[in-house]
Every structure is written in structure tokens, then in C-alpha cells.
Amino acid sequence: NAGVTQTPKFQVLKTGQSMTLQCAQDMNHNSMYWYRQDPGMGLRLIYYSASEGTTDKGEVPNGYNVSRLNKREFSLRLESAAPSQTSVYFCASSLDRRYEQYFGPGTRLTVT
Amino acid sequence: KQEVTQIPAALSVPEGENLVLNCSFTDSAIYNLQWFRQDPGKGLTSLLLIQSSQREQTSGRLNASLDKSSGRSTLYIAASQPGDSATYLCAVNNQAGTALIFGKGTTLSVSS
């Protein structure tokens, strides 16, 4: 099992560009999550999907959109990147929201 | 609003020492609590999950306790090794089970 995989690993964008971060899990988990990690701020939830077909906002959703493409895949889209979105982005999944969350290796995004 | 605090922010110990990492949270209405390890530049590795009805969980040299009424959890590491050097993160799952709220972590350094 690969667990939770994320692509790309690194990305540099210019202000105003758009991109989609991809996440996939092979553990047959129902719930998936997107977090960002910033120095001094810790990890914060952007969006989550409790089950296939549902998505909900987390603590810091502004500037992002998500798509739960199927049970395995959960993507995060930045429509118009801003320097404030420079961060490390982590995807996670769990059997359901009551259980242990498993994290991917992260995507390091720099917006200039 | 739930807040999670981890003390100390950094800790240095010699190899072989037993140590305790502390985590406190402001709202005792939690679903569960999870401890993670993060190595530099890497994703999060789940160490232990404690449900709100449990008092402790053990995995190898690790033991985590939970006192929900006082809003505290501790992670005990026995016979520390240089390979234990990492940042340890505590996260609480809110009562709806929809989001992990993270502390900022304790960075542990174990010297040989």
C-alpha cells in the first residue's frame, strides 16, 4: 500500500496563476482532508470531505476550492495564487472522521 | 474556540533518558486526541490515538495518557534514542469529529 500520495512535491507559482494539488489514498478511507502548515501557525484545516460526494470548509478556506473526485481522490485548487498561500500543504485520510488520520508527504508551494 | 498548547517548545536530552511531552487543550468536549511525529521536511506519522473514553494508549516505548476533564495529555517516551529526534505534535478532534486542531509541537533532540 502506498498510503496517501500527493503530487507535485514542489511547485513555484507566480501571483495570479492557478494550480491543482492532487491527493490519492489506497486505504479505502471514507474521509479526506487538506491542511496547510506555516511556521509559527502550526497545521490548519483548509477543507475536508467526510465521505464521497461531500465537502466542507475548515478553518482557512478562503482562496481555495476542493473536489472529491471519487472515494480515492481529493484535489485542492488555487484559482489565483497569492504570496500568502506560500506554505506546505498536506493531504490526510481516515476510515471515517472518528478514526486515526494518515498524512501524505506534503507539497511545498512557493508563490512569488 | 479550541486551542491546543504544547510545552516545552523544545527539549534536549541525553540518550537513554525517559521523558514526558505535555499537551493541553481548552475545551474538554473532544472526540479523540492523536499524537504525531514529524521529521524535518517530511509528513506526519501517527503515533497514538486516544478516544475520549480512554485514559491511555501504549505502543512500544510510547505511552500516551488523556485526562479529558483537566484538558491534558502526556506522551511518555521510555529509554530515548537518537532516532527519536523529531517534532512531536498533539492534535484534538472536536466533538463532531470533523477537524483536528493541532498544537505547535515540541521539538525533541536526543544526543548520543
Side-chain angles (χ1 to χ4, degrees):
Chain A
N1 286 352
V4 180
T5 57
Q6 293 183 235
T7 55
K9 287 187 168 51
F10 302 92
Q11 184 71 49
V12 178
L13 290 178
K14 294 187 177 177
T15 298
Q17 288 184 319
S18 62
M19 78 162 295
T20 299
L21 281 64
Q22 306 286 354
C23 173
Q25 52 89 13
D26 63 1
M27 296 176 281
N28 201 33
H29 284 172
N30 294 303
S31 301
M32 297 185 74
Y33 313 83
W34 277 105
Y35 294 89
R36 61 178 288 175
Q37 185 175 35
D38 302 290
M41 298 294 294
L43 278 124
R44 293 176 293 170
L45 183 69
I46 306 171
Y47 270 93
Y48 68 96
S49 172
S51 60
E52 188 178 354
T54 69
T55 60
D56 285 287
K57 294 178 181 179
E59 183 183 353
V60 288
N62 290 347
Y64 305 96
N65 285 301
V66 290
S67 295
R68 184 74 183 265
L69 304 168
N70 48 54
K71 191 172 184 178
R72 290 187 62 248
E73 298 173 289
F74 188 38
S75 62
L76 178 72
R77 182 160 178 83
L78 286 70
E79 290 292 351
S80 179
S84 60
Q85 294 178 305
T86 293
S87 188
V88 181
Y89 291 85
F90 289 103
C91 177
S93 72
S94 62
L95 182 58
D96 71 35
R97 54 193 183 182
R98 298 166 293 172
Y99 293 95
E100 204 167 3
Q101 290 191 20
Y102 295 88
F103 280 70
T107 293
R108 294 184 176 274
L109 175 67
T110 301
V111 183
T112 62
Chain B
K1 179 184 173 185
Q2 178 76 271
E3 292 183 3
V4 180
T5 303
Q6 292 187 247
I7 294 173
L11 181 63
S12 293
V13 300
E15 183 177 5
E17 192 161 300
N18 302 325
L19 59 100
V20 174
L21 306 181
N22 296 296
C23 172
S24 61
F25 45 94
T26 55
D27 186 348
S28 62
I30 65 169
Y31 204 98
N32 54 44
L33 182 145
Q34 198 166 352
W35 282 94
F36 295 89
R37 167 188 174 134
Q38 186 175 29
D39 294 290
K42 303 291 187 184
L44 280 67
T45 300
S46 178
L47 297 173
L48 290 162
L49 173 75
I50 310 177
Q51 300 292 353
S52 62
S53 58
Q54 296 176 316
R55 297 286 293 188
E56 65 179 90
Q57 281 284 352
T58 297
S59 176
R61 295 183 293 109
L62 305 179
N63 176 277
S65 68
L66 175 63
D67 184 342
K68 201 173 73 158
S69 60
S70 68
R72 293 181 181 179
S73 176
T74 61
L75 179 67
Y76 174 83
I77 302 177
S80 58
Q81 303 170 357
D84 294 330
S85 298
T87 296
Y88 290 81
L89 296 164
C90 164
V92 299
N93 205 338
N94 63 18
Q95 197 166 37
T98 54
L100 280 180
I101 309 297
F102 282 83
K104 294 180 182 176
T106 294
T107 299
L108 173 66
S109 177
V110 181
S111 56
S112 56

